[in-house]
Amino acid sequence: MTPLLLTHWVRQEIRELSAYETYDHEGFIKLDAMENPYPWPKLFQQALMEKLHSVAIHRYPDPEARTLKQRIRQVLEVPTDSHILLGNGSDELIQILLQAIAAPNRTVLAPEPGFSMYRIIARGLGLHYVGISLTDPFELDQEAMLQAIEEHQPAAIFLAYPNNPTGNLFDRKSILEILAKSSGVVVLDEAYFPFSGKTFLSELTRYPNLVILRTFSKIGLAGLRLGVLIGEKTFLKELNKIRLPYNINGLTQASADFMLSHQQVLTEQVGQICADRTWLTHQLNMLDNITVYPSEANFILIRPPQGSGERLFNRLKSAGILVKYFREASTVLQDCLRVTIGHPEENRAFLTALSAALSPSTDTG
Ligand SMILES: *Cc1c(COP(=O)(O)O)cnc(C)c1O
């Protein structure tokens, strides 16, 4: 018997997906992925290594990561009656949540442009996915959102606050109205909370359908992979049943606990990044012909002249600078580039390369 190609067995909805796009960034100034540009100070690195010596690599880690959870509750100021679930990155928590609710004919709803993993994971699990376009520039289209909620009765709604890749905070009242009018779970993805200082944590007790997602990736622990879901106890208990045992590895548990016990290091770095965001926004605003969207996150979205996006992306790349270009984007993001705030030298290098690429004399180059 001729064997079928193995891809035959891969579900149709997965074959239709494209993989999450990443680049080989060797040697580049990396301003494409919202990482914290600052490494951990030398002195702390040594202390961390000391601590890691005591991790028993030959044993499974604590399946409930109790010590780390205690630390996180304290650091994030989680309300006492809310529960938390840890994930191998918040991406994993999105996956666990959607896996728990995935049933035929259920819908996941999110505004667009938004974080692409909501759609990728939902579609991969066979869920319907409905994206609702933001207004110009990038506020929730409340009428369309409410109508879609009415029509599809989504099992889950994702709202990134601030939104990625646009950088803004959606109107708070609109979000509260969505919470009130949804029977499904509403996920407030606060991945960029450290840079915005705005949260829905205090609304958890008022809205039992609200869950909040946080991550330590954007403030300097991207390599450890650690995300947190905060919400109502009985719901999180159900999700916990499908979390893979030991999803937070021993080195991550020990490192994150250590790093979060020296939170002032991270807080200082975040403060610096916010100051540099202000500086870079101001500098970009002085350039001709580009639109700069105000940001509450650690990145800035810019729109260069029509038709120039790909050329600018390539010019920056030749100058050794990697930013995010929305190649397959809908018209709303056409030409847009998203730049992560780097350290001051990196920001200056980006600015110099961008102004050179924008200047008319180099237009044909
Ligand atoms: C980066 C990002 C995530 C994923 O973060 P990890 O914890 O690294 O998986 C989730 N949501 C949004 C909006 C993001 O920008």
Side-chain angles (χ1 to χ4, degrees), residues 6-291:
L6 288 185
T7 49
H8 164 83
W9 298 103
V10 176
R11 280 183 285 119
Q12 180 70 21
E13 56 264 31
I14 291 175
R15 278 186 278 156
E16 283 166 5
L17 288 173
S18 349
Y20 185 83
E21 199 180 13
T22 52
Y23 290 91
D24 179 11
H25 50 81
E26 191 72 27
F28 280 95
I29 292 182
K30 199 168 177 305
L31 303 178
D32 65 328
M34 283 79 88
E35 292 142 327
N36 174 348
Y38 300 103
W40 201 243
K42 272 270 164 0
L43 207 68
F44 287 99
Q45 264 179 30
Q46 274 164 15
L48 172 62
M49 288 309 145
E50 288 298 312
K51 177 157 178 182
L52 293 186
H53 281 309
S54 67
V55 176
I57 302 281
H58 63 297
R59 302 285 186 203
Y60 284 113
D62 174 4
E64 294 296 328
R66 279 161 301 190
T67 309
L68 177 58
K69 265 182 159 169
Q70 251 337 95
R71 175 80 64 197
I72 287 175
R73 289 197 71 101
Q74 185 194 338
V75 166
L76 298 188
E77 298 174 14
V78 175
T80 37
D81 25 359
S82 298
H83 268 229
I84 68 172
L85 193 67
L86 302 188
N88 188 7
S90 50
D91 286 346
E92 189 190 46
L93 293 164
I94 298 169
Q95 188 178 46
I96 291 174
L97 190 149
L98 289 181
Q99 202 185 334
I101 64 164
N105 300 317
R106 286 192 176 173
T107 298
V108 172
L109 187 96
E112 288 195 343
F115 184 51
S116 60
M117 290 312 293
Y118 309 145
R119 182 183 51 79
I120 293 174
I121 296 173
R123 294 292 302 122
L125 288 164
L127 284 153
H128 291 295
Y129 173 84
V130 176
I132 302 292
S133 296
L134 296 172
T135 61
D136 185 20
F138 310 139
E139 187 47 73
L140 289 172
D141 183 340
Q142 189 67 351
E143 204 179 315
M145 287 295 289
L146 294 178
Q147 199 187 320
I149 290 168
E150 177 85 23
E151 184 185 336
H152 301 284
Q153 295 293 317
I157 300 175
F158 285 88
L159 299 169
Y161 187 80
N163 190 40
N164 171 12
T166 59
N168 59 310
L169 291 161
F170 297 138
D171 178 60
R172 196 175 179 97
K173 278 213 200 83
S174 301
I175 294 178
L176 292 176
E177 190 180 15
I178 288 169
L179 273 163
K181 300 219 162 134
S182 309
S183 55
V185 50
V186 179
V187 183
L188 258 288
D189 183 344
E190 299 183 342
Y192 300 97
F193 163 76
F195 310 97
S196 76
K198 303 273 167 41
T199 177
F200 276 76
L201 265 188
S202 65
E203 305 293 347
L204 278 169
T205 46
R206 279 213 289 152
Y207 298 94
N209 58 338
L210 168 64
V211 297
I212 290 176
L213 198 56
R214 293 279 185 89
T215 176
F216 294 105
S217 295
K218 324 288 168 167
I219 59 164
L221 280 63
L224 292 179
R225 310 300 296 126
L226 184 62
V228 188
L229 189 71
I230 310 168
E232 193 264 325
K233 177 173 153 187
T234 52
F235 181 57
L236 263 61
K237 273 193 164 161
E238 294 299 328
L239 300 190
N240 196 39
K241 294 179 188 169
I242 52 167
R243 176 181 65 85
L244 294 179
Y246 317 115
N247 65 328
I248 311 301
N249 74 68
L251 293 174
T252 295
Q253 288 189 31
S255 324
D257 183 46
F258 174 84
M259 293 171 93
L260 296 176
S261 70
H262 298 283
Q263 219 205 339
Q264 80 281 3
V265 178
L266 299 172
T267 314
E268 272 169 37
Q269 293 175 345
V270 166
Q272 179 68 47
I273 291 166
C274 289
D276 292 335
R277 173 182 68 196
T278 307
W279 179 84
L280 188 58
T281 303
H282 180 72
Q283 298 296 319
L284 287 168
N285 269 320
M286 297 203 294
L287 298 178
D288 290 331
N289 303 325
I290 69 165
T291 306

